[in-house]
Amino acid sequence: MTAQTPAGPADSELIEHIEERALFARLETVRLISIAKTGHYASGFSCAEILATLYYGVMRLRRGEPDWPDRDRFLFGKGHAAATLYPLLADWGFFDAVELDEYTRLGNAFGDHPDMTRIPGIDFSSGSLGHALSAGTGMAMGGRLQGRPYTTFVLLGDGELHEGQVWEAALGAAHHRLGRLVAIVDRNDHSLDGRIDGVTGIEPLLDKWRAFGWQTHEVDGHDVASLLPLLRSLAEDTGRDRPAVVVANTVKGKGISYMESEFGWHLGWLAERDEANALAELRGAR
């Protein structure tokens, strides 16, 4: 069986499909959090287009084969937003979607943070912030040593950049010239503790990554028409001799008007009527 790649429908059709899958991920996030009665809406909504673009337009995957050795790797540093990722993995046939109906219930594999030992398609158990880039650096090195062609993608929250381990990994990845490693920063400007630059300033962010030896890019993280060609080009650039980072400017809570403007939706739960209104707003925007 050959790898499934982004080649196929015209880019305009693919962009529309990715946008539809991002909406699907948001709708499913609302459904899953309704089961759990608490969850991270806003953190998942800010990266929905990034996830959908990776999984439907960029990454090398085989449907129903989460253990294919040459698949591209994905590490979700901000693992608390896993409810937005799980539906995409089910859609790829990595597990039966019906398992999500018992999300967070006793004995169910699917919790608020992803567990690579229990969930097919999860490459790293994340949520303890700051570790994903270190693990991704190791996976990229392992792929090179084994002669495997996969690219390792690591999605980081911008609040996660407050962790020193991220920058230690950034130094190591550049030192080892890991051209098959791509980091994406979900720059939504908020963490649990408040605005990122109010807690600890991280700007000028592109200059910092560049000084650490990385190739740097910036993009609107909700604009699939911009995300797709950029991430594709990085995945296809097999001659690059250093890691690349994409700072994706996003809006926390994207898709629900009050979540975009009210900080408190980092963690929460929608009552029945509020949930119905949120779903209507998401579908209406689409």
Side-chain angles (χ1 to χ4, degrees), residues 189-267:
D189 195 36
H190 286 86
S191 69
L192 176 62
D193 295 322
R195 294 184 69 89
I196 298 300
D197 291 321
V199 177
T200 301
I202 61 175
E203 294 294 345
L205 192 51
L206 288 172
D207 289 344
K208 285 183 170 68
W209 284 96
R210 198 175 296 122
F212 274 65
W214 286 57
Q215 184 185 107
T216 59
H217 304 269
E218 189 171 17
V219 70
D220 181 338
H222 299 300
D223 182 6
V224 176
S226 297
L227 274 171
L228 179 61
L230 174 57
L231 294 176
R232 264 186 177 176
S233 68
L234 295 176
E236 294 169 357
D237 184 5
T238 58
R240 189 175 60 251
D241 66 351
R242 55 178 172 156
V245 62
V246 174
V247 175
N249 296 306
T250 62
V251 176
K252 196 157 187 176
K254 180 69 173 179
I256 303 295
S257 55
Y258 55 85
M259 289 188 185
E260 294 178 9
S261 59
E262 296 176 13
F263 162 69
W265 285 101
H266 177 87
L267 179 67

Side-chain angles (χ1 to χ4, degrees), residues 75-80 113 124-138 154-171 183-184 209 214:
L75 295 87
F76 204 5
K78 42 180 285 180
H80 54 276
H113 296 73
F124 181 63
S125 301
S126 60
S128 182
L129 298 178
H131 299 169
L133 190 59
S134 292
T137 295
V154 181
L155 179 57
L156 306 168
D158 51 358
E160 193 170 2
L161 303 189
H162 290 153
E163 301 285 349
Q165 186 172 336
V166 170
W167 299 104
E168 184 177 355
L171 280 173
I184 305 167
W209 284 96
W214 286 57

Side-chain angles (χ1 to χ4, degrees), residues 25-248:
R26 287 188 174 96
L27 294 173
E28 280 291 282
T29 298
V30 174
R31 183 178 77 87
L32 296 182
I33 293 177
S34 180
I35 297 170
K37 298 298 186 286
T38 186
H40 297 84
Y41 298 100
S43 297
F45 288 177
S46 71
C47 63
E49 281 81 14
I50 298 171
L51 294 174
T53 299
L54 286 172
Y55 275 87
Y56 296 95
V58 177
M59 292 174 62
R60 288 162 38 92
L61 302 169
R62 284 180 174 175
R63 186 163 298 281
E65 295 187 41
D67 296 326
W68 177 42
D70 289 335
R71 75 193 182 283
D72 285 343
R73 271 49 170 183
F74 176 73
L75 295 87
F76 204 5
K78 42 180 285 180
H80 54 276
T84 307
L85 175 62
Y86 294 150
L88 305 185
L89 300 182
D91 193 43
W92 268 94
F94 291 166
F95 51 82
D96 192 334
V98 73
E99 295 184 50
L100 294 177
D101 294 343
E102 297 296 319
Y103 173 65
T104 69
R105 301 302 87 181
L106 185 63
N108 187 270
F110 299 86
D112 200 38
H113 296 73
D115 184 345
M116 64 182 292
T117 68
R118 302 182 69 193
I119 302 173
I122 294 295
D123 289 315
F124 181 63
S125 301
S126 60
S128 182
L129 298 178
H131 299 169
L133 190 59
S134 292
T137 295
M139 289 183 191
M141 291 181 69
R144 184 165 68 189
L145 288 170
Q146 295 173 5
R148 297 198 178 278
Y150 64 76
T151 299
T152 301
F153 295 92
V154 181
L155 179 57
L156 306 168
D158 51 358
E160 193 170 2
L161 303 189
H162 290 153
E163 301 285 349
Q165 186 172 336
V166 170
W167 299 104
E168 184 177 355
L171 280 173
H175 174 77
H176 291 289
R177 309 190 77 80
L178 298 178
R180 306 308 299 155
L181 176 64
V182 178
I184 305 167
V185 178
D186 181 4
R187 185 70 167 111
N188 63 33
D189 195 36
H190 286 86
S191 69
L192 176 62
D193 295 322
R195 294 184 69 89
I196 298 300
D197 291 321
V199 177
T200 301
I202 61 175
E203 294 294 345
L205 192 51
L206 288 172
D207 289 344
K208 285 183 170 68
W209 284 96
R210 198 175 296 122
F212 274 65
W214 286 57
Q215 184 185 107
T216 59
H217 304 269
E218 189 171 17
V219 70
D220 181 338
H222 299 300
D223 182 6
V224 176
S226 297
L227 274 171
L228 179 61
L230 174 57
L231 294 176
R232 264 186 177 176
S233 68
L234 295 176
E236 294 169 357
D237 184 5
T238 58
R240 189 175 60 251
D241 66 351
R242 55 178 172 156
V245 62
V246 174
V247 175

